[in-house]
């Protein structure tokens, strides 16, 4: 911990801007912590003890298992995907940590259901809109829909098989889901790394390919599937609808105009 010159991280993976505090939340995957980066450049541990596990509790006593990504509510609640723990953790605005959905003890077997009856296989990207989380699974290539009221986790789209097909639920396929970005109208953008594409999931659950042909490259200034990526990972969307893509192995930050 400390100022930005002395602070150290251990495999940081997810970032989220906290509009309540103006801090940046950092998922420090390797240390099983959530850290906060203040506007002044100071890094503080916000959640986790450094041990790997799933104990609930307060911010200083709760234990995480491989935190990967965040979804934040407008009123200060935080939802966290645990890649190693195969759970969705919930942090109240008051700082109480619990499991919203996912098996206890740790079991990364896929299952629909509510709370601890739900099973996730490598949960990664996460977003929040209108009382539901959208969660991507690496192990099943499925996008899940989780009710934040009761932790009920169902399939939103994807067949369970790897592929590169657009269409409605039961038809659309993915291969290597990573990060999500949710626009103000509920449209969800997904990085699909092995298909080298950015996919678009609308509020009717129709999946289309926004950009990327499936070929490896860095083709710019073209429309949609004429664009190429190498390994698209991180996503964020600004208030004007511009989507930014971190192309991991392409060593680029790409921008997609609305």
């Amino acid at each position: 911990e400390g100022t930005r010159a002395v602070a150290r991280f251990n495999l940081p993976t997810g970032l989220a801007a906290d509009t309540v505090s103006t801090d940046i939340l950092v998922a420090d995957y390797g240390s099983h912590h959530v850290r906060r980066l203040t506007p002044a450049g100071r890094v503080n541990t916000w959640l986790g003890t450094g041990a790997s596990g799933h104990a609930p509790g307060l911010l200083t006593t709760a234990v995480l298992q491989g935190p990967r990504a965040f979804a934040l509510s407008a009123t200060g609640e935080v939802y966290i995907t645990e890649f190693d723990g195969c759970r969705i953790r919930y942090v109240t605005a008051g700082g109480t940590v619990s499991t919203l959905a996912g098996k206890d003890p740790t079991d990364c077997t896929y299952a629909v259901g509510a709370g601890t009856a739900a099973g996730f296989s490598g949960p990664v990207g996460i977003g929040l809109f209108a009382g539901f989380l959208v969660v991507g699974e690496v192990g099943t290539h499925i996008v899940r829909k989780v009710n934040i009221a009761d932790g009920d986790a169902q399939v939103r789209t994807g067949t369970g098989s790897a592929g590169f097909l657009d269409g409605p639920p039961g038809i659309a396929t993915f291969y290597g889901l990573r990060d999500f970005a949710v626009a103000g109208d509920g449209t969800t953008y997904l990085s699909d790394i092995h298909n080298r594409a950015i996919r678009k999931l609308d509020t009717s659950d129709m999946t289309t390919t926004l950009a990327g042909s499936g070929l490896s490259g860095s083709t710019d200034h073209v429309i949609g599937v004429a664009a190429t990526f190498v390994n698209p990972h991180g996503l964020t969307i600004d208030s004007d609808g511009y989507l930014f893509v971190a192309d991991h192995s392409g060593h680029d930050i790409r921008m997609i105009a609305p």
Side-chain angles (χ1 to χ4, degrees), residues 132-212:
F132 287 88
L133 298 170
V134 57
V135 178
E137 286 188 15
V138 170
T140 62
H141 313 290
I142 283 174
V143 179
R144 307 291 292 277
K145 180 179 182 179
V146 183
N147 189 326
I148 64 172
D150 59 7
D152 185 43
Q154 302 294 327
V155 174
R156 183 168 174 186
T157 191
T159 66
S161 297
F164 193 11
L165 291 175
D166 290 341
I171 299 296
T173 53
F174 309 89
Y175 185 24
L177 292 165
R178 281 300 183 272
D179 204 10
F180 291 0
V182 181
D185 64 357
T187 301
T188 302
Y189 299 94
L190 310 87
S191 56
D192 193 357
I193 64 168
H194 296 310
N195 286 324
R196 302 185 176 95
I198 306 303
R199 314 293 292 278
K200 178 181 176 181
L201 178 62
D202 68 19
T203 54
S204 69
D205 293 339
M206 178 65 71
T207 298
T208 55
T209 298
L210 177 69

Side-chain angles (χ1 to χ4, degrees), residues 19-257:
T19 58
V20 176
S21 69
T22 71
D23 292 346
I24 299 295
L25 291 180
V26 182
D28 203 9
Y29 174 85
S31 73
H32 311 291
H33 284 122
V34 176
R35 318 285 292 280
R36 279 188 178 269
L37 174 61
T38 72
R42 183 174 180 82
V43 177
N44 301 307
T45 295
W46 181 62
L47 168 58
T49 67
S52 174
H54 55 88
L58 301 177
L59 295 173
T60 54
T61 59
V63 181
L64 303 176
Q65 192 173 2
R68 174 62 177 78
F70 307 106
L72 278 62
S73 77
T75 51
E77 293 88 4
V78 180
Y79 301 88
I80 307 168
T81 51
E82 281 187 344
F83 184 78
D84 294 346
C86 297
R87 298 182 188 86
I88 310 301
R89 306 298 292 276
Y90 168 55
V91 187
T92 69
T96 299
V97 183
S98 60
T99 295
L100 175 69
K103 297 180 181 179
D104 182 16
T106 300
D107 181 347
C108 295
T109 303
Y110 161 84
V112 296
T116 56
F120 299 88
S121 180
V124 281
I126 186 171
L128 173 63
F129 182 75
F132 287 88
L133 298 170
V134 57
V135 178
E137 286 188 15
V138 170
T140 62
H141 313 290
I142 283 174
V143 179
R144 307 291 292 277
K145 180 179 182 179
V146 183
N147 189 326
I148 64 172
D150 59 7
D152 185 43
Q154 302 294 327
V155 174
R156 183 168 174 186
T157 191
T159 66
S161 297
F164 193 11
L165 291 175
D166 290 341
I171 299 296
T173 53
F174 309 89
Y175 185 24
L177 292 165
R178 281 300 183 272
D179 204 10
F180 291 0
V182 181
D185 64 357
T187 301
T188 302
Y189 299 94
L190 310 87
S191 56
D192 193 357
I193 64 168
H194 296 310
N195 286 324
R196 302 185 176 95
I198 306 303
R199 314 293 292 278
K200 178 181 176 181
L201 178 62
D202 68 19
T203 54
S204 69
D205 293 339
M206 178 65 71
T207 298
T208 55
T209 298
L210 177 69
S213 65
L215 300 176
S216 180
S218 298
T219 306
D220 270 334
H221 305 295
V222 293
I223 302 297
V225 296
T228 56
F229 301 90
V230 180
N231 206 222
H233 273 244
L235 298 177
T236 191
I237 191 167
D238 71 10
S239 58
D240 294 319
Y242 286 86
L243 185 67
F244 296 85
V245 182
D247 195 347
H248 179 268
S249 301
H251 312 291
D252 290 323
I253 305 300
R254 312 286 292 280
M255 182 180 75
I256 303 174

